[in-house]
Each structure stands twice: as C-alpha cells, then as structure tokens.
Amino acid sequence: MKTIFAYIRPKLGVMSVQLIIKFAGTVVELLLPWMLSVILDECVPTGDLARIGRWGGLMVLCAAGALVGNVVANRMATRISRDITCRLRSDLFEKVMHLSCAQEDAFTTPSLISRLTSDTYNVHQMVDRMQRLGVRAPILLLGGVAVTLSLEPVLTLVLIAALPLLGVVVWWVSSRGIRLYTRAQEALDGLVRRAQESMAGIRVIQALSKTEYETGRFDEANTEAVRREAAAGRLMSITNPAMNLVLNMGLTLVVIVGAYRTNAGDTQPGTIIAFLSYFTIILNALMMVSRLFVMYSKGAASGRRIAQVLDAPVQMEAEDPQTPKAGGFAAEEEEPGSITFEHVTFSYGKRENDVEDLCFSLRRGETLGILGPTGSGKSTVLRLLLRFYDPDQGVVRIGGRDVRQIPPQELHSLFGVVFQNDFLYAGTIAENIEFGRDLPPGAVRDAARLAQADFIDEKDGKMDAALTSRGTNLSGGQKQRVLLARALAARPDILLLDDSSSALDYKTDAAVRRGLAREFTQATQIIVAQRVSSIRHANHILVLENGRMAGYGTHEELMRTCDRYRETAYAQMGGGEADEAKHTR
Ligand code: ADP
C-alpha cells in the first residue's frame, strides 16, 4: 500500500478540506432528530407556534446545509479519486511499456490488462468510498451512540444489546466477502485472457469455423466469472435483510420499552421518536462500515497487484561501461554497426537452453541470413540483439560495445525492425510508416518505394489512405510492405527482418533485396527467412537447429558442408537452381 499511498499523499491537503466539509455536514445531519425531539417534547406542549416555527425553520436550514455540504464533499471526493486513478493508470501504463520481455512473460499480458483496467477501478472505488463513507459512517455511529446515551440511557441499552449481533453479521459478511471478491477478480483475469486470445486469433478462428468452439470457451469463462460474482452478490444480499431484521426487532423492543417508560412518566414520546431515528441512523452506519470493509479489501488487493508492477525493477538500464565483460574486443577496434555474438547461450524458462553457444560476427554493411525450422531460435537471436532479453552466458556486441552497456534509447535508435506479427494501427499509411519519428521530408516516400509498396499509389488518397486497426484492410503482402517501409524510413544502421518476406511473391522479394543492396550499403542486415532464395546472397548464413548452430558460412560453403542447408535448398529451389546460385554470386 506504500506505493499507492504515494499517489494519495499529494492530495492530502484538498482531501482534508473535503473531510472537514463532510464532517460538518454529517454532524449537522446527526442533530436533526434531536431538534425534532425538542419540538415535540418542549415546544408542542406549550402551544407556542412561533417557537415551533423557529425550530422548524432551523431544522430546514440544517437539512439544506447538510445536503449542500454532502454534495460538495462528494463532488470533491470524486474529483480527488479521479485524479489519483488517472495518474496511477498512466504511470502503470508507462511502466508496462518499459517492462522487459522477461518481466512481461512473468506477469502475463492478460493480467497486466486487468491490472490496468479493473484493478485501477477497484482502487478508484476504494479511495472514493473511503472519502465519502470513511468519515460519515464512524461519525454517525459514534455520534449516534453518544446522542442516544444523553437522550435516553436506558433505551441505549437495547441498542447496545443489538450491537454484538450486528457485529457478528458484519464480521461474517465482510470476512467471507473479501474471499469471494478476490476469487471473482481472479475469474475476471481468466475472462480477459480468453477474450484477448480470441480477439488476437479472430481471423484464424473464423477461417477454421471455430467460432462456436471459441464462443463456448468464452461462455465458460464468462459463466465462471458471473458465478463467482453472483456468489459474492448473494452473500451481500443477505446483509441488508439480516440487518433490517435486527433493526426492526430492535425498533420493536425500543417501542415496547419506550411505551412502558412513557406510561411510567420516565420519558417522553418525542424522545422515543428521536431515539427511533437514531437507531436507524446507527444501524445504517454499521452497514456502511461493513461495505467499507469489503471495499477496502477489494481495493487493497488490487492496490497490491498494481504495486507489484510499479515496483518491478527497471531491467533495461544500461550498465556501467567500465564493468569488464568476459573476453571480446575493445570498443575502439570495432566499427559502428558491426555485430558480434560471442558464445551466447540463453534460456527463457531457465531450464533448457533455447539458444546455445552462438558465435558469429558481422562487419558493418554485411548481411546475415538466418535459416532454420520453426522454434529453432531464429527470433531469439534478434531479441537478444535488441536486448529484449539478456544472455545467460556470453556477450552480444554492437560496434564492439556490450549491448548491456548501451543506453536503451541509443540502442533502439540503431535498429529498423520488422517482426513476424508486427502491428499496424488505425491511421493513414503515411502515419504508420512515419511512426511519430519526425523523419526528414521524402523519407516516407523513399521508404515506400524501396519496400516496393507501389499499391499505395493505387489507393484512394494514396499515402493518406486510411488503414484500419491491425491493417485488416490490407492483404498480407501489402501489410509486410508497409511494415518494411516503416523499418527502412529512419535509415537505420542495423536492419532486422524477421520473416518479413514470407507474404511477398518471389519477384517482389528479389526487387526489395536489390533495392536494399543498392541503397542500404552501410546498413548491417539480419534477415530471418523460410526461403533459401531470400538469403542465399547474404554474406553469411546461419543455420539453426534446436537453438544450436548447424551451419555457418556462405551459400556455397553451406551447400558443400551443411546437409541440412543443402536439403532445404534442393527441396525449395530444385537442384539446378540451387547449384546455379553458386555461379550467380
Ligand atoms: P523461431 O523464431 O526459430 O521460430 P523462437 O526464437 O521464437 O523460434 O523460439 C525458440 C524457442 O524458444 C522455442 O522453443 C520457443 O518455444 C521458445 N520461446 C520463444 N519465446 C518464448 C517466450 N517468450 N517464453 C518462453 N519460451 C519462448
């Protein structure tokens, strides 16, 4: 809660003003039944209409004052909690954006989404209710008991007798309520996960006619969430009738005892009426306290989930450049844009190595092609280079510097990247290529030309044609070309293309490669590909199998030395074409 309190602290000043207004409004409200008793017991018997009028007028004024005070205080409370939640949510989002991939894997995306949405909502509700009811309920409770004691000590005993019974109800309900609401929150995590999975895979689901199956899966999660919420709701629905039962029994007792005492001349009817009002006020206050408990527990549980993310250590900071790292070259010896992997081993789950003992080196402007079956570690090489993850052993260097020692901003500005499942957002084509980077004029157009995105000229509005979210109004090949243009537009020192030509036809793929060879001579390139034809002209080719290097060299060398590569080349290009590649270099 310390982390969440840091967000509340700046608002403490305005919160105190709100609490004072709330306090004043509630105290005035508490005096109303007492005024009524004065009118009934002291003014009515004298028949002094003017005095009755004065007291009545005062009551109206006090009621109006209490109303205005409560409305003002509630509005202030809403504004305060809204501001707190707004800051909390935006800081949380920013933190999520800065989480390392390993941290994101550990939290899981659905859980991060529900922390950003429903958990921040719960904290909002908690802060809001604490301000509204946190002051009101205790004042009504304690003030009510104090006034009734001074009004009618004997009848207060009836009230005090009812209190333990109510205490048991409140304790039982809130202790079970916290558990049930926590379970409901967990079910919501599951619901978000299902919804997210289905949304992400909606096209595949439709294509495979799995819509009903997915709807069924979602229904399961939905029913579970509803069942748990309903269980909590059912428990809460017991509270009011149970409290009312105790309340009505208490009221009956007060009336009976009161009637005897009035008959005996020990008390007056006005006092009994005031007492009945206080009795109701006190019990309502108790109900508020019980709701506050549930609210607090829900908010506190959510606050802890949010704090876990906010307090997560920043893993992407650059390390001290002085720290010596194992082996390698000194920074001065290397040219900028060169890439070296020195005996790099890495495992996601820290059990089995996902890539092992990778060693290769690229000079500036050279191209590396990576080939290998799915799951062989091709994308992992790129992730290690981008420092999405740090290697468990070995060193990744760019321009001779260990990537861990390059500040993240500087590191990421070196790259142009196209990932396998990259995204386009709703906006114009130009905006999607520019990507908010303030590129020099003409850069977007040049990049589109290099990426062979001629289709843009045939679109209505050309560069200003609108794309839908995730680029669903483009074909697979068109999407890849826009993404490629985005990667090229900033003229990066290093270009990483992860299977970015799989949806391009051979001719376009070749045209893109020719363009890059002509105009991107200074950029070091790493191309992950399924097709040998996409990488056979690369300066170096890395063949991966189960995370290990099954071959490394040029196309010709690998055709001679690497069975795996030769088999793939023959299978894809046929013998003649594959061999011919030897002579076309
Ligand atoms: P490729 O790009 O060759 O298809 P990847 O580099 O994506 O393969 O994956 C290599 C291995 O690492 C696979 O076995 C995959 O299951 C595993 N892997 C990839 N990403 C993660 C992740 N975020 N968490 C755990 N394991 C992962």
Side-chain angles (χ1 to χ4, degrees):
M1 287 310 278
K2 221 171 81 207
T3 312
I4 303 298
F5 188 69
Y7 285 82
I8 299 177
R9 196 177 301 122
K11 292 280 176 191
L12 282 181
V14 57
M15 244 179 189
S16 336
V17 176
Q18 184 269 345
L19 294 183
I20 290 169
I21 298 175
K22 190 89 194 172
F23 179 83
T26 312
V27 169
V28 170
E29 210 178 311
L30 202 56
L31 291 177
L32 289 175
W34 169 75
M35 291 182 193
L36 183 69
S37 82
V38 172
I39 294 175
L40 290 176
D41 294 341
E42 291 175 26
C43 306
V44 174
T46 61
D48 182 352
L49 280 182
R51 201 169 158 216
I52 296 174
R54 273 200 304 279
W55 274 100
L58 187 65
M59 268 187 87
V60 170
L61 268 181
C62 284
L67 177 83
V68 172
N70 270 327
V71 169
V72 170
N74 285 351
R75 285 190 164 196
M76 285 176 78
T78 308
R79 200 170 316 133
I80 292 168
S81 44
R82 190 191 58 202
D83 290 351
I84 290 173
T85 318
C86 181
R87 259 198 63 211
L88 185 66
R89 202 178 279 144
S90 75
D91 283 2
L92 184 61
F93 183 76
E94 199 186 328
K95 180 74 191 214
V96 168
M97 290 290 112
H98 283 97
L99 286 181
S100 72
C101 291
Q103 287 171 320
E104 238 177 86
D105 292 347
F107 282 120
T108 76
T109 311
S111 177
L112 286 173
I113 292 176
S114 62
R115 283 170 216 238
L116 257 167
T117 50
S118 85
D119 284 312
T120 47
Y121 175 76
N122 287 345
V123 170
H124 173 95
Q125 290 288 89
M126 175 181 78
V127 177
D128 194 55
R129 292 297 157 90
M130 290 306 248
Q131 292 177 86
R132 287 162 177 239
L133 304 181
V135 173
R136 193 173 152 78
I139 294 175
L140 288 180
L141 193 66
L142 298 176
V145 172
V147 179
T148 47
L149 261 177
S150 69
L151 213 59
E152 239 302 349
V154 177
L155 284 181
T156 311
L157 290 179
V158 177
L159 178 76
I160 289 173
L163 278 181
L165 206 59
L166 289 166
V168 169
V169 176
V170 168
W171 171 81
W172 187 73
V173 167
S174 36
S175 62
R176 280 180 61 90
I178 294 162
R179 219 175 42 239
L180 290 176
Y181 275 117
T182 310
R183 278 169 53 78
Q185 197 65 17
E186 286 163 5
L188 200 69
D189 271 4
L191 186 78
V192 173
R193 189 173 60 242
R194 285 278 159 86
Q196 203 201 15
E197 282 168 3
S198 306
M199 297 293 169
I202 192 156
R203 293 282 172 264
V204 183
I205 293 164
Q206 285 170 346
L208 298 179
S209 300
K210 286 285 176 203
T211 320
E212 268 179 35
Y213 173 71
E214 279 302 311
T215 312
R217 260 162 51 90
F218 183 78
D219 277 349
E220 257 172 46
N222 194 12
T223 314
E224 184 59 20
V226 169
R227 199 181 61 75
R228 292 192 189 181
E229 190 67 38
R234 261 198 308 279
L235 176 74
M236 288 300 141
S237 70
I238 299 173
T239 330
N240 279 2
M243 293 270 202
N244 275 332
L245 180 73
V246 179
L247 172 80
N248 286 326
M249 282 181 355
L251 287 180
T252 315
L253 250 171
V254 168
V255 171
I256 294 170
V257 176
Y260 277 110
R261 285 179 59 77
T262 315
N263 276 347
D266 293 336
T267 190
Q268 305 203 7
T271 311
I272 304 293
I273 290 174
F275 197 92
L276 292 176
S277 302
Y278 281 117
F279 203 91
T280 318
I281 288 176
I282 290 168
L283 293 187
N284 277 331
L286 260 177
M287 283 200 239
M288 282 184 215
V289 171
S290 78
R291 253 179 284 147
L292 265 181
F293 269 116
V294 175
M295 217 54 175
Y296 174 78
S297 334
K298 251 175 118 170
S302 289
R304 263 195 293 277
R305 277 161 59 91
I306 293 170
Q308 280 171 351
V309 181
L310 288 176
D311 296 341
V314 181
Q315 292 188 340
M316 278 300 289
E317 268 171 0
E319 289 172 10
D320 181 1
Q322 303 310 319
T323 318
K325 289 284 167 201
F329 319 88
E332 308 78 60
E333 290 173 25
E334 288 275 317
E335 43 191 354
S338 66
I339 295 171
T340 315
F341 271 56
E342 293 171 18
H343 302 285
V344 172
T345 297
F346 170 73
S347 160
Y348 288 100
K350 306 299 169 214
R351 282 201 207 109
E352 275 181 38
N353 289 336
D354 290 297
V355 292
E356 198 169 300
D357 202 23
L358 299 186
C359 279
F360 62 85
S361 172
L362 299 179
R363 297 173 67 96
R364 180 183 194 181
E366 284 190 333
T367 301
L368 171 75
I370 307 182
L371 195 80
T374 311
S376 57
K378 303 185 295 293
S379 306
T380 306
V381 171
L382 305 190
R383 290 182 201 131
L384 290 167
L385 188 60
L386 285 157
R387 214 195 152 199
F388 286 173
Y389 299 90
D390 283 333
D392 299 323
Q393 284 164 39
V395 189
V396 177
R397 291 181 193 278
I398 295 177
R401 289 159 78 192
D402 186 332
V403 288
R404 284 171 287 199
Q405 293 168 353
I406 305 177
Q409 280 268 321
E410 185 190 334
L411 177 70
H412 293 147
S413 70
L414 296 174
F415 293 101
V417 189
V418 184
F419 287 123
Q420 264 169 32
N421 295 317
D422 231 336
F423 73 101
L424 292 168
Y425 58 85
T428 65
I429 295 181
E431 283 166 355
N432 268 284
I433 297 177
E434 165 114 32
F435 214 49
R437 290 177 292 183
D438 262 339
L439 300 175
V444 169
R445 193 149 282 288
D446 274 355
R449 177 181 51 77
L450 261 176
Q452 302 295 314
D454 323 325
F455 75 94
I456 296 174
D457 290 333
E458 286 148 33
K459 286 242 163 221
D460 265 355
K462 301 196 169 27
M463 275 291 178
D464 294 326
L467 297 186
T468 47
S469 175
R470 291 185 293 133
T472 44
N473 56 345
L474 293 183
S475 76
Q478 291 173 336
K479 240 189 286 184
Q480 280 194 336
R481 282 177 241 199
V482 175
L483 288 168
L484 188 60
R486 179 195 284 171
L488 299 177
R491 296 260 152 192
D493 290 339
I494 301 172
L495 191 61
L496 306 180
L497 307 178
D498 191 351
D499 211 6
S500 60
S501 59
S502 57
L504 301 184
D505 54 79
Y506 280 89
K507 212 173 117 217
T508 315
D509 187 15
V512 169
R513 271 186 288 116
R514 273 199 304 277
L516 289 181
R518 201 174 51 244
E519 296 189 33
F520 262 68
T521 44
Q522 293 300 303
T524 315
Q525 296 176 38
I526 298 189
I527 302 174
V528 170
Q530 302 286 340
R531 295 200 297 239
V532 171
S533 67
S534 302
I535 53 158
R536 73 177 186 199
H537 299 294
N539 305 90
H540 310 275
I541 297 169
L542 171 66
V543 184
L544 284 178
E545 221 176 320
N546 290 328
R548 287 179 189 81
M549 295 174 70
Y552 183 72
T554 60
H555 175 77
E556 294 78 11
E557 286 163 3
L558 290 172
M559 285 300 282
R560 279 198 308 275
T561 56
C562 179
D563 295 344
R564 176 97 214 175
Y565 185 80
R566 196 167 42 238
E567 280 163 23
T568 317
Y570 276 123
Q572 286 183 1
M573 310 202 284
E577 211 188 324
D579 291 331
E580 179 213 337
K582 284 184 199 168
H583 313 293
T584 53
R585 275 188 58 86

